[in-house]
Amino acid sequence: MRFLATADWQLGMAARYLGDDARPRYIQARFDAISRIAEVARERHAQFVVVGGDVFESNQLDRSIIARAFEALRAFDIPVVLVPGNHDPLDASTIYDSALFAARKPEHVVVVRGSSPFEVVPGVEIVGAPWFSKRPAGDLVARAIADLEVPASGAVRIVVGHGAVSTLDPDRDSVATIDVQALRPALARGLAHFVILGDRHGTYEVTPQIWYPGTPEVTDRREIDPGNVLVVDMDEDSGAWSVDKVHVGSWRFLTLRRELNSRAEVTAFGRELDEFSAKDRTAIWLALSGTLSTAAKAELDEVIAGAQDVFARIDHWERHTDLAVIPDDHDFADMSLSGFAQRALDELVERAAAGIVTDEHAGRDSDPAIDPADDGHPMTPEPATSDAQSAQDALSLLYRLAGAHR
Ligand SMILES: [Mn+2]
């Protein structure tokens, strides 16, 4: 018996951190990932597919998202079982009850609306633990299996749910946490045989029989091992389970932390960016630190501006940027300024240099790990730039506009 396990498709995700050019391509990539899952299903002769929640990013989406989802789902010729999660719960406004969904849902797509076991293919039962609101009042997986008896038929039973497990959840007291310690003995007794969960977007093995497949296409730069689908096998003779992870994602979200302290290092960094493949599907958050001359900073600005033409996204992650610019004596020597312009330049140099001592780390978090306001979102408002920072920026701009680096 073989099936595919996936979750967290997050169809219709807004991806505000991408530009106007990249965003529609990224939204489409989430549908394309479904098509690749269908290819894997065909190649591996899977009998059905389970999706552990968050199929849709929300219950309020443009109707075209539903239509495109069904278009992608037509590529399957086996049952595809959708179990609503916290993003797409079965509440009063559920997307699964929308007119378009009801009218256009392909025959082989099954929405799980309760926890009664149902036979998905002969000899295999699914027990779903769908979400009915964004705040469940208990462990939905525990509830789903609470009243089960060991299947008399000898059927294989697969539980599909959504949420954080007790062994991973930092918020262990949350009532909705899925209690792994309670689940293990239930599996040992044969109430169910395998558990697929959504919520964690990276592929993760909780126990050999409890897995998060993760999202098939990355949604956040902090995810560990996203972009996969699981091929789950049960050997009929031994009853042994095996899981094969297949990569289907095509986008990468990365954080690059680099310390740059010279023009040579900036040049090398430019080459490093150049060597990236699939730039149009790569989004990079830069966490750069170091001290650069105005000339080196101007080169860095050019390197990044050039990369922005080809990468899906590349920009400073301001909260984790700690670059100081110290004007070098040689930086402005060729500009032959005089009078007011030279005096203005001198003042800028003085103010910029003052900041190196007095404004170091001004308004920045030295330890991002304990910053509760750091949601990793690039839209987070930044502290006001200091006078020294403004002077450094002005010098960089002056340097570039004057073409002194050419
Ligand atoms: Mn999710």
Side-chain angles (χ1 to χ4, degrees):
M1 194 275 293
R2 179 179 290 166
F3 70 98
L4 295 193
T6 172
D8 299 284
W9 288 359
Q10 313 292 149
L11 300 174
M13 215 185 113
R16 286 183 299 272
Y17 40 79
L18 295 175
D20 292 343
D21 175 59
R23 199 180 307 114
R25 290 190 285 109
Y26 174 74
I27 289 170
Q28 180 58 38
R30 308 205 69 77
F31 295 101
D32 296 342
I34 300 174
S35 307
R36 279 193 299 280
I37 293 170
E39 279 168 33
V40 175
R42 262 195 308 277
E43 284 165 19
R44 305 293 289 267
H45 305 290
Q47 292 168 257
F48 60 95
V49 182
V50 298
V51 190
D54 289 4
V55 176
F56 296 99
E57 173 70 3
S58 86
N59 278 331
Q60 287 78 41
L61 291 173
D62 191 276
R63 53 178 282 143
S64 70
I65 298 295
I66 301 175
R68 290 160 78 185
F70 288 162
E71 209 52 40
L73 281 163
R74 286 215 179 85
F76 293 90
D77 54 5
I78 52 175
V80 179
V81 179
L82 311 180
V83 179
N86 65 312
H87 276 257
D88 50 359
L90 291 166
D91 61 13
S93 63
T94 184
I95 197 164
Y96 298 106
D97 283 338
S98 65
L100 181 66
F101 199 96
R104 302 272 295 271
K105 183 183 78 61
E107 198 69 21
H108 62 282
V109 175
V110 180
V111 179
V112 176
R113 292 169 183 270
S115 294
S116 308
F118 70 93
E119 192 170 64
V120 63
V121 296
V124 182
E125 287 180 0
I126 303 274
V127 174
W131 285 49
F132 291 94
S133 76
K134 286 191 175 292
R135 290 182 188 280
D139 174 349
L140 296 173
V141 170
R143 285 186 189 180
I145 62 170
D147 297 328
L148 292 182
E149 303 285 347
V150 174
S153 57
V156 173
R157 203 178 261 166
I158 294 153
V159 175
V160 185
H162 190 91
V165 290
S166 52
T167 47
L168 283 175
D169 191 0
D171 184 16
R172 279 158 201 258
D173 297 331
S174 162
V175 290
T177 300
I178 298 164
D179 187 351
V180 175
Q181 301 319 325
L183 201 47
R184 282 170 188 269
L187 291 173
R189 280 175 54 210
L191 288 182
H193 302 95
F194 208 88
V195 181
I196 293 297
L197 299 173
D199 185 48
R200 187 185 172 90
H201 286 196
T203 303
Y204 186 81
E205 175 183 347
V206 182
T207 78
Q209 276 157 266
I210 306 174
W211 281 76
Y212 285 101
T215 180
E217 190 67 89
V218 64
T219 64
D220 189 288
R221 62 173 167 255
R222 291 165 300 180
E223 289 159 7
I224 300 162
D225 199 16
N228 305 305
V229 62
L230 299 181
V231 181
V232 184
D233 264 291
M234 194 204 71
D235 185 277
E236 258 93 27
D237 299 326
S238 66
W241 292 87
S242 62
V243 176
D244 187 17
K245 187 177 75 176
V246 179
H247 195 79
V248 292
S250 66
W251 279 63
R252 281 177 301 178
F253 286 6
L254 306 169
T255 302
L256 289 188
R257 291 177 198 282
R258 296 289 181 276
E259 189 174 341
L260 302 175
N261 288 304
S262 70
R263 202 160 170 174
E265 285 175 2
V266 170
T267 306
F269 178 60
R271 274 198 302 270
E272 181 189 348
L273 291 180
D274 220 34
E275 281 161 15
F276 268 85
S277 61
K279 295 183 181 69
D280 60 331
R281 283 171 279 133
T282 303
I284 293 179
W285 282 258
L286 295 170
L288 303 181
S289 62
T291 304
L292 295 173
S293 68
T294 308
K297 177 60 163 56
E299 182 173 332
L300 177 63
D301 290 346
E302 285 226 335
V303 160
I304 292 169
Q308 282 169 337
D309 293 335
V310 285
F311 278 86
R313 177 204 195 274
I314 180 166
D315 215 339
H316 295 288
W317 185 1
E318 295 295 346
R319 186 176 290 276
H320 297 280
T321 298
D322 191 9
L323 276 177
V325 182
I326 301 183
D328 189 291
D329 284 347
H330 305 295
D331 286 347
F332 298 94
D334 299 338
M335 288 174 63
S336 326
L337 296 177
S338 61
F340 170 75
Q342 183 62 46
R343 284 198 303 281
L345 175 62
D346 290 344
E347 189 181 333
L348 281 173
V349 168
E350 196 175 304
R351 285 194 188 193
I356 305 305
V357 181
T358 60
D359 287 345
E360 194 176 2
H361 302 289
R364 292 185 183 133
D365 310 294
S366 56
D367 187 356
I370 57 165
D371 175 11
D374 179 15
D375 60 358
H377 202 282
M379 306 298 273
T380 305
E382 296 304 322
T385 42
S386 67
D387 185 56
Q389 186 67 55
S390 303
Q392 290 174 11
D393 291 345
L395 283 169
S396 297
L397 185 61
L398 176 63
Y399 187 87
R400 275 199 294 163
L401 292 178
H405 57 299
R406 292 206 173 84

